[in-house]
């Protein structure tokens, strides 16, 4: 029988990506599978805190093992902004386009373009909490390039590459990204737990 675990998201892109990495030994359920349409509040002041709030909500209200993620773009010259506000940097209900334009405007004339994407996954399993982190460093360029991906992908060039995430495409991005690294850590942990239970 497959082990079931809830990924506290309704983002189908994330769900597909994570399910592929975790493989066929673990069945990943979404919030939709639980008929949970609550917009779980993300009121913490860290990525770790927001991921934990979402996992705790599912664990407490549904009694199931659960994990959740939170991701932020941290730009050195902007004191690690936008960070936890990455999805709403230009204001509530604003678009990826507006968020990118705000970043580019704030970096006008700034020489230091160093940045990093950071994903934190919080897992609650067997009444214990575990955290996993994935980081990729890079730089913010001065204009958008590329059509793939989402969020800040068109202005972020990962270290060791000369193309943005949006130009590299999903296959390469999903292999090297911050989320892929965090999910790999989660996968290794769950696989080890699964072997212990067999």
């Amino acid at each position: 029988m497959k082990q079931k675990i809830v990924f506290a998201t309704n983002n189908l892109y994330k769900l597909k990506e994570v399910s592929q990495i975790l493989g066929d030994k673990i069945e990943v359920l979404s919030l939709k599978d639980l008929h949970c349409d609550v917009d779980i509040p993300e009121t913490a002041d860290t990525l770790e805190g927001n991921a934990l709030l979402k996992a705790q909500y599912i664990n407490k209200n549904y009694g199931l093992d659960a994990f959740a993620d939170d991701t932020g773009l941290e730009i050195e010259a902007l004191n690690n902004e936008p960070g936890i506000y990455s999805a709403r940097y230009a204001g509530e209900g604003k678009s990826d386009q507006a968020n990118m334009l705000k970043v580019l405007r704030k970096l006008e004339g700034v020489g230091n373009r160093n940045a990093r994407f950071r994903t934190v996954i919080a897992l609650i399993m067997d009444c214990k909490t575990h955290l996993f982190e994935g980081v990729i460093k890079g730089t913010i360029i001065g204009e958008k390039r590329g059509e793939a991906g989402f969020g800040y992908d068109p202005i972020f060039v990962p270290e060791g590459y000369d193309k943005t995430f949006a130009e590299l495409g999903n296959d390469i991005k999903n292999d090297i990204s911050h989320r892929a690294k965090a999910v790999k850590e989660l996968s290794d942990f769950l696989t080890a737990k699964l072997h212990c239970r067999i």
Side-chain angles (χ1 to χ4, degrees):
M1 187 174 163
K2 276 188 182 181
Q3 178 181 344
K4 292 185 179 182
I5 190 166
V6 180
F7 183 10
T9 187
N10 275 320
N11 184 316
L12 296 179
Y13 174 84
K14 284 186 188 180
L15 190 67
K16 182 179 178 183
E17 179 184 320
V18 169
S19 297
Q20 285 175 339
I21 295 171
L22 291 178
D24 59 4
K25 291 190 177 76
I26 298 167
E27 184 179 351
V28 181
L29 305 175
S30 69
L31 295 179
K32 184 178 179 182
D33 292 322
L34 300 182
H35 306 290
C36 174
D37 55 7
V38 175
D39 189 13
I40 303 169
E42 297 179 43
T43 53
D45 56 6
T46 62
L47 297 176
E48 292 85 350
N50 280 331
L52 197 52
L53 283 173
K54 291 182 278 188
Q56 285 172 334
Y57 182 90
I58 297 304
N59 183 254
K60 179 181 176 183
N61 289 282
Y62 293 88
L64 298 169
D65 291 339
F67 69 93
D69 77 320
D70 200 22
T71 295
L73 173 65
E74 299 175 342
I75 301 171
E76 210 171 90
L78 301 181
N79 296 314
N80 289 331
E81 287 183 11
I84 60 168
Y85 303 107
S86 293
R88 53 191 187 279
Y89 194 43
E92 292 293 342
K94 296 292 184 179
S95 64
D96 290 347
Q97 181 87 356
N99 290 334
M100 275 189 288
L101 289 175
K102 182 173 181 178
V103 164
L104 293 177
R105 195 168 58 248
K106 288 189 115 179
L107 286 177
E108 280 179 10
V110 177
N112 178 5
R113 314 287 289 197
N114 293 337
R116 67 177 187 169
F117 272 115
R118 192 162 70 93
T119 290
V120 176
I121 293 175
L123 167 70
I124 299 178
M125 177 174 269
D126 300 331
C127 300
K128 292 180 181 176
T129 300
H130 308 273
L131 293 175
F132 309 93
E133 182 182 72
V135 174
I136 186 162
K137 295 179 179 179
T139 55
I140 302 296
I141 58 172
E143 59 185 10
K144 295 179 293 169
R145 293 197 328 234
E147 301 297 325
F150 60 97
Y152 299 91
D153 288 355
I155 59 171
F156 182 84
V157 175
E159 211 168 61
Y161 292 82
D162 59 4
K163 293 181 178 178
T164 67
F165 266 160
E167 291 175 303
L168 288 171
N170 290 335
D171 287 346
I172 294 175
K173 180 194 169 186
N174 291 346
D175 193 44
I176 66 171
S177 78
H178 42 295
R179 184 172 293 108
K181 291 177 180 180
V183 173
K184 177 69 166 57
E185 281 193 15
L186 171 69
S187 176
D188 290 346
F189 177 85
L190 291 176
T191 300
K193 290 280 282 187
L194 199 60
H195 285 318
C196 290
R197 290 177 177 180
I198 293 174

